[in-house]
Amino acid sequence: MSRLYVLDVPENTSVAKVAGQSDGVQVDKLGPYFVIEYDGPIVIDRRATGCRHAVWYSCVAGLAGGRIVQWDKNALRVDPR
Amino acid sequence: MNDLAGRHLARGVDHAAFPTFDPVGTVRFYRDVLGFPVVHSICAAGWGPDDHPDFIHFFFDIGNDDRLAFFYYFGLPRPTSDGKGDVYARFDDSTPDWFVRSRHLAIHVDSEDALTEYRRRLDLSEWPVEMQIQHETIESIYTHDPNGYMVEITRALRPVTPQEDLDANLTIDALVDIAQREGHTMDDLLTRKAELIVERAPSWEVRV
């Protein structure tokens, strides 16, 4: 199970929203964080989020049970460890 | 212990000081181009040990009662080393630009109009804006002053929120934890941060 924490600020809401559109991916809140959770790979398409570089490359606040295997201009992908 | 213990007592930058070998250019850049008033100067003759040159220590008002200060030492030869950097610190050509630029002074403005006005002043001068960057949360212009020091003028596109301060503290606590381990990585940091989020979440639930 991978768990990705994303701070709930206006620039990041689309990251959580796009993540939640994938089948099986759960998005909850814990304090000021979105918690994005899935037992398979979590893949977030950057263009779908509309994020530009500064926000995109700083949107991950924490990571549990998973490993970032891709984080480039196309996508962020977290695979279970 | 007294009643000041544990309180954040600092009140901004009294002054940040840099040496200059070009007082004429420095005054033109800060006072005449940017319009930062001269607010203080000290003419120090025969001060210090025998081999200490006479010097002028002069200050510009950079707003908010904060000041930027320079030392000009009479007769001190300018270092002649090649490479990248400024009059105080030089690096060989293999040093990446992002590292050289990482040390800089950023001055805050409150509005887009103010930023545009500083851009206009610089672009009419010998030190035009080299780079203007806007991303989702800030907009900045950059140039180098006559001494080679990188100067940024920046505005926030929105205020920093309390949750960002909370997140910043988690980041730094996680960094302090993992930076003591050999070979630490960003992956270690994000993993440690996730642990801290879970540990501290109960206290946030109570407050919210």
Side-chain angles (χ1 to χ4, degrees):
Chain A
M1 174 75 77
S2 302
R3 196 173 290 132
L4 189 63
Y5 295 89
V6 172
L7 187 65
D8 182 3
V9 287
E11 298 78 22
N12 286 345
T13 52
S14 64
V15 174
K17 189 172 164 209
V18 169
Q21 287 165 355
S22 298
D23 281 346
V25 174
Q26 290 288 317
V27 180
D28 293 310
K29 282 293 296 284
L30 179 63
Y33 295 95
F34 296 111
V35 185
I36 301 165
E37 204 171 54
Y38 188 45
D39 56 13
I42 299 169
V43 182
I44 304 171
D45 182 277
R46 184 192 63 84
R47 289 176 188 86
T49 67
C51 291
R52 291 162 57 208
H53 283 185
V55 165
W56 178 245
Y57 289 112
S58 58
C59 70
V60 176
L63 191 59
R67 185 180 294 280
I68 293 172
V69 294
Q70 180 189 359
W71 196 355
D72 57 25
K73 64 181 194 238
N74 298 314
L76 169 65
R77 180 184 169 120
V78 178
D79 283 355
R81 270 181 210 264
Chain B
M1 296 285 271
N2 58 45
D3 63 355
L4 300 181
R7 284 173 51 193
H8 183 32
L9 302 170
R11 290 292 173 268
V13 179
D14 184 283
H15 65 281
F18 301 83
T20 182
F21 295 88
D22 180 5
V24 175
T26 297
V27 169
R28 280 221 314 276
F29 180 82
Y30 289 102
R31 184 191 68 185
D32 302 338
V33 174
L34 290 174
F36 297 168
V38 172
V39 283
H40 184 49
S41 74
I42 297 164
C43 301
W47 183 352
D50 289 347
D51 60 352
H52 196 298
D54 297 341
F55 65 94
I56 308 284
H57 192 20
F58 56 104
F59 296 69
F60 299 99
D61 176 354
I62 54 170
N64 198 39
D65 285 334
D66 299 343
R67 298 174 300 176
L68 178 62
F70 289 87
F71 285 101
Y72 176 62
Y73 299 102
F74 291 91
L76 182 70
R78 182 183 173 133
T80 52
S81 56
D82 295 331
K84 301 176 179 179
D86 51 50
V87 296
Y88 186 74
R90 308 292 297 182
F91 301 89
D92 68 41
D93 286 334
S94 66
T95 309
D97 287 339
W98 51 259
F99 181 81
V100 176
R101 291 174 182 163
S102 62
R103 195 187 69 173
H104 60 270
L105 175 76
I107 293 172
H108 180 82
V109 293
D110 283 335
S111 67
E112 182 176 11
D113 286 349
L115 192 75
T116 304
E117 171 58 17
Y118 283 117
R119 166 143 210 164
R120 188 187 68 79
R121 294 179 195 181
L122 287 166
D123 284 346
L124 289 171
S125 79
E126 295 161 63
W127 305 277
V129 169
E130 299 164 16
M131 196 164 53
Q132 178 154 1
I133 290 178
Q134 185 186 51
H135 58 65
E136 290 88 335
T137 52
I138 63 119
E139 182 173 26
S140 294
I141 55 177
Y142 300 84
T143 194
H144 287 81
D145 86 351
N147 309 292
Y149 302 133
M150 192 167 92
V151 176
E152 171 182 356
I153 299 176
T154 188
R155 72 182 180 105
L157 300 186
R158 64 161 175 78
V160 173
T161 62
Q163 66 262 36
E164 286 170 289
D165 289 340
L166 179 152
D167 184 64
N169 279 280
L170 284 178
T171 298
I172 296 312
D173 287 347
L175 177 63
V176 169
D177 286 349
I178 65 114
Q180 300 177 60
R181 294 184 213 154
E182 197 68 32
H184 49 274
T185 64
M186 182 63 101
D187 184 57
D188 296 330
L189 179 100
L190 295 176
T191 301
R192 181 65 189 135
K193 253 185 95 176
E195 292 169 2
L196 293 176
I197 289 169
V198 171
E199 275 174 37
R200 296 183 191 178
S203 65
W204 305 330
E205 301 300 331
V206 171
R207 250 186 297 154
V208 176

